[in-house]
Amino acid sequence: MATSTTAVDAPADVPAPGRRPRGWRGLPVIRQLRQSVGLQRGMLVAGLVLTGIFLVTAIFAPLLAPFEYSQLRDPSGAFGAQQAPSSDHWLGTTVGGYDVLSRVIWGTRTALYVIVAAVLMSIVIGVLLGLVAGYFGGWLDRVLVVVADAIYAFPSLLLAIVVGIVLNGGESSLRGGIMAAALSITVIFVPQYLRVVRAETVRIKAEAYVESARVIGASHWRIMSRHVFRNATRTLPLILTLNASEAILTLAGLGFLGFGIEPTAAAEWGYDLQKSLSDVTSGIWWTSLFPGLAIVLVVLGLTLVGESLNDLADPRLRTRRRGPVTPADVGETSVVPGSPSADTAYLDGKGPA
Amino acid sequence: MTTTTTEPTGGGGAPDATPTAARQRRSGGLGSYLLVRFLLIFPTIFILVTTVFVLMRLTGDPITAAQGGRLPAEELARRIAEAGYDRPILVQYWEYLGQLVQGDFGTAISDGREISDMLTSFGAATLELAFYALIVAFAVGIPLGRLAAYLRDRWPDAVLRVFAILCYATPVFFAGLLLKLVFAVNLGWLPVAGRASTGAEIQLQQQDSSTGIYLIDALKLGDGDVIQDVLEHAVLPAVALGLLTAGVFLRLVRTNVIGTLGSGYVEAARSRGVSERRLLRKHAYRPALIPIVTVIGLQIALLLGGAVLTETTFEWKGLGFQLVEYLQARDFVAVQGIVVLAAVIVALVNFVVDVIAALIDPRVRY
Amino acid sequence: MTTAPARDVVEIENLSVTFATDAGDVDAVRDVSLTVGAGEVLAIVGESGSGKTVTARSILGLLPETALTRGAILLTSKDGSETHDVVTLSRRGLGEVRGRDAAMVFQEPSTALNPVFPVGWQIAEGLRAHGDYSKKEARAKAIDVMRRVGIPDPEERVDHYPHQFSGGQKQRIVIAQALALDPGVIIADEPTTALDVTVQAEILDLLRRCRDEFGTAIVLITHNMGVVADLADRVAVMYQGRIVEQADVRTLFSAPVDEYTRQLLGSVPRLGEGRARTADRAGARAPGWQEATPVVEARDLRIVYPGRLRRPDFVAVDGVSFAIRPGEVLGLVGESGSGKTTIGRAIAGLTKVTGGSLTVHGAEMNGMKERAFRPLRERIGFVFQDPASSFNPLLTIADAVAEPLVVHKRAKNPQEARGRVDELLEAVQLPKSFGDRFPHELSGGQRQRASLARALALDPELLIADEPTSALDVSVQKRVLELFDELQRELGFACLFISHDLAVVDLLADRIAVLYKGELVEEGTGEQVLGAPQHPYTQRLLASLPVPDPDEQALRRAEWDRLR
């Protein structure tokens, strides 16, 4: 059923109430935050807080971390390997003799670099291909879709490994390592963006306003840039957050398998976890727990933001404020779990009017 | 390319038939759908095999990768020529495809094993792990997803959603490490790693016609202790890998069931007095299954990727474990074999899943 | 049927419903009181947002969680033994009365049926919810109701899935589901809105039989005054959440009291209204007009959508010939699948012509290349059906209206075109300031005006209007149609006006062409086509159209029965 946007189109033919807020209140995320209620708001806020902490830590890592990521000794001597948490090393030291806390903090930087690089590259390529495939259709579209589907269905980690081998042959400077990881992740993400943008483009192409531009005689370039592009990319912030979390997981997975970045080049949580594998058997918990927790918290934060945005964008999944507080003598309509919250449809006498 | 109008029905407007709608009405039947779907397997495999081949060869020939620097230059060149890696890349590609069709994956450089042998023997272990993990994923993800949909926006739903997110926010190897730390090292309830104790493993492998799937072998052996030993070893890896997938299933089921719970036909059934419980279990669940099944097919990729990490964490000697070994030995012929096998599995699983989805959906069936 | 009912099956007292929305609370229903007698058909009419659907749904307690209901809704079972207040009933209690005491028929039959279960099973689900039925009994009962609602071969079709039925049959099955438990009242929410006129007549007939044969009361929610005149005994008119008038159907149509009711009835287009106008226009034409080169001419036009994957091709338009001369309005009428939209799109170069000949401004469209056609595009305007999607949500109205001017280099950018845009907005009676608004800030009717402004920006000689008013409420439709007529007279463009509604086409068109399954079955002036239809399909179409007058409609119904 087509849910009308002009929900309360009264007989007097007045426009839908509630203008889209302009200015800073209309910015993505902030708009959704204002829209959300109850548990959904709680989840969104929790996600934003975690993501915020992650970003702040990454930016101020040099100030926050007690040591360098590759520091093995200070003026008083070597740190020593596998030291339990103490006042000198709050979270202990690793088997390689690094300070765990410092590695965890510096790790946020590496993660951020990779996210930014991977997401930027995949968005540019994916959006471009998606627009072209969706708009022009034809054999190019079919080929792109089949290839994208094949890659999409393939285990992303295996693909990332293959790309990683090609790019650096296991070599791992900071920039090389980050670019290798980012490119591996890009290869996984491009098909996703392509699918999403293509689907949106195909939908928008059938919208009356695009047809209208065609009737007017607007060129393909004009239609694509002016009508399709901005409308087709409106859902991207949402995928972006979800992909950012996937990027971290893939980076960690690569590191864990030994395709990450060398400890002397940068701090990377997956690498640290790999090195802690043998520690666990002897009961040394701090080398694995903290980098692991760092991954979990960052991914959790990003995912909470992404899923909340997703829910808010989908009228079926979104919760809204209830009516005013019920006076004592008033009955309520039955609370039907899972009934549609697209309540505006009911206000609309004719459905798709 | 067809351009079609999307005229909304209703509003008093009699819609002109859109050509797509007209086409759907005269559906081509299940048979031709499945045939087309089956034929699609081949381009998928072909694309992946080609992609992997091209990517792997961009780095140069496998022999240099594996033994470059360790052998004198002439010896290296001799071996490259012997293996035929000095020929034009297209010739090699064509030959590789031909071998693949016959089930010949070549010979590993590092240990000289037939790769097809390696794939079957270690594949059994991975299959066993994936099977256990799927049981955990279905048993946890689907009922909890239904529950979350039913109780949506109340506190149990919030708890379940955070649980789901935690399940897939936790890297599977970290989950494995934690499980190991708690249940194997600290509590000592379960074994730390491996597929079976050494003694049991020897017994299992000495058996005639060993399948490589330890549970089946143990059952054939009929020794209660061995069966218990095998199962104990499977618990932690299965839970670690299973929970990862369970989180995805939970979210998937929740979202889709909420979607169908809000649909017109559930509303219509509700208007006839059908109880909420039955609405959930029958009217909303069945149609929600169609997208669920389709997406579950895509999760097989997640499961295979997770298996690599889980096997490494628990020293579960399957394909994933083997993959990491070969990677460290820079044996790209073997790596390529494993990746190609994964491609074939993914393509087949997706075909099977589409068949199941078609069987659930009468619109495809008739 | 107008005899005083023995007792009331539904009694609504001071019902108010408030919805929580993003824009704050909306009072959808305010202090409504209503009664429905046993075996009575009560129509609740009103336009979008009048609260009629909410009122009807609240009888079954089918409102979403965001709704807050106050007042009382007393629902009495058919035998009169039990009365419940739906507003205060528990969830379990609601489950018991739903389907047994009151049942619902929905607007969109295709979404009201579950796609993955056989229809018989779905009918049986309602039975099983209210008592123990064995599989066999339930099936027998399902076959029985299916036969009673006129599904042929119910024994076989009981196991079919919804997609195997046509739209009208689906609605019959939805009605069968409602009838299965023999409820005292059926709430029919726009039961025919999604259907073609000819199918609508059949469904209305079936609903009438429900009342006559089962003694079921019906609450009919509709915006269509013709449907009201056809079926209702009593009418309640709703406006902005309140009931403004309640009366016996004859009284309402002959002597409406409330101002809004009168306005509503006055807005409904009636057959034959356009005849005088057409005659005027024909008389005013210059001699030799007949010989002028047509703006559009189709000869044996054929448009085929190729089938994919071994499926047969779909012939949308088959051997159609017609001509539109300068300054002439051709009305194209047909039901869904008739090919009317396809023809409009082909003229605008949006759909490929596959056979025959179609000339537009003298250019042959069969085999036309987009590049060659582009210069001609400035001589064609197009108004789309759906006001919700006809504007890019990210551009202001002024930018959108300026687009044709910019594309055809009459202006360098939207700012430069603003003067002309303001003129155009004024011409379609929109305030200039609306140019700075975004599409979602305009109502449906305002957007259709803006759409008209955009189509006329380049002063085209040909305008194609594809169902431009079918998504609008009647009162809004009336004003848009008047505007359309004024502009057409003033600017003198030729026009292809596509609609499913004979009465609307009759208002505007000089000549009417009737399409049926891709073929043109009849063409002529309004007087010829509507006054003395020759083709059986035109006759049927005309007889199916309910008119807003109960007495006349009764006569037409008899005629329709004869034609059937």
Side-chain angles (χ1 to χ4, degrees), chain A residues 69-289:
Chain A
Y69 50 83
S70 57
Q71 202 172 337
L72 288 169
R73 56 182 65 245
D74 59 7
S76 57
F79 297 157
Q82 297 179 322
Q83 298 296 308
S86 65
S87 56
D88 290 339
H89 301 284
W90 292 357
L91 304 183
T93 60
T94 72
V95 67
Y98 301 112
D99 178 60
V100 174
L101 177 62
S102 306
R103 299 269 309 165
V104 167
I105 291 174
W106 282 102
T108 54
R109 276 210 156 176
T110 317
L112 187 63
Y113 285 145
V114 172
I115 291 177
V116 171
V119 169
L120 273 184
M121 284 190 284
S122 39
I123 279 192
V124 171
I125 303 171
V127 168
L128 205 71
L129 290 179
L131 274 178
V132 170
Y135 186 80
F136 290 107
W139 64 268
L140 178 71
D141 176 39
R142 266 172 241 159
V143 169
L144 281 175
V145 167
V146 170
V147 172
D149 280 356
I151 294 179
Y152 183 70
F154 193 71
S156 51
L157 192 67
L158 292 193
L159 202 64
I161 292 172
V162 172
V163 177
I165 294 172
V166 175
L167 286 174
N168 59 8
E171 192 201 321
S172 20
S173 63
L174 174 63
R175 186 170 297 170
I178 285 174
M179 278 318 280
L183 271 172
S184 319
I185 295 163
T186 303
V187 173
I188 303 163
F189 286 171
V190 164
Q192 293 184 23
Y193 286 102
L194 188 144
R195 286 160 64 109
V196 171
V197 173
R198 180 189 169 276
E200 275 294 286
T201 305
V202 167
R203 184 183 67 74
I204 288 165
K205 210 178 123 188
E207 293 266 326
Y209 61 84
V210 172
E211 301 237 289
S212 158
R214 283 179 66 200
V215 171
I216 286 164
S219 61
H220 290 311
W221 170 248
R222 186 179 170 90
I223 294 176
M224 284 242 268
S225 57
R226 198 168 163 82
H227 297 292
V228 180
F229 173 69
R230 279 179 61 204
N231 283 299
T233 50
R234 283 208 283 189
T235 49
L236 285 188
L238 192 156
I239 321 170
L240 200 144
T241 41
L242 293 179
N243 273 353
S245 55
E246 219 184 308
I248 294 185
L249 288 177
T250 312
L251 174 70
L254 283 173
F256 184 75
L257 292 178
F259 283 87
I261 299 154
E262 286 297 316
T264 45
E268 201 273 303
W269 299 325
Y271 174 89
D272 289 354
L273 278 167
Q274 184 206 21
K275 293 293 162 206
S276 74
L277 200 50
S278 48
D279 298 354
V280 167
T281 339
S282 40
I284 295 171
W285 50 271
W286 58 90
T287 49
S288 53
L289 184 67

Side-chain angles (χ1 to χ4, degrees), chain C residues 142-153:
Chain C
I143 293 173
D144 181 49
V145 263
M146 279 174 73
R147 181 178 298 115
R148 293 187 21 198
V149 297
I151 301 284
D153 306 325

Side-chain angles (χ1 to χ4, degrees), chain A residues 142 205, chain B residues 1-4 19-20 23, chain C residues 304-308 345 350:
Chain A
R142 266 172 241 159
K205 210 178 123 188
Chain B
M1 187 192 77
T2 47
T3 41
T4 59
T20 26
R23 242 182 257 131
Chain C
V304 178
Y305 293 107
R308 234 180 290 175
R345 293 173 57 83
L350 290 172

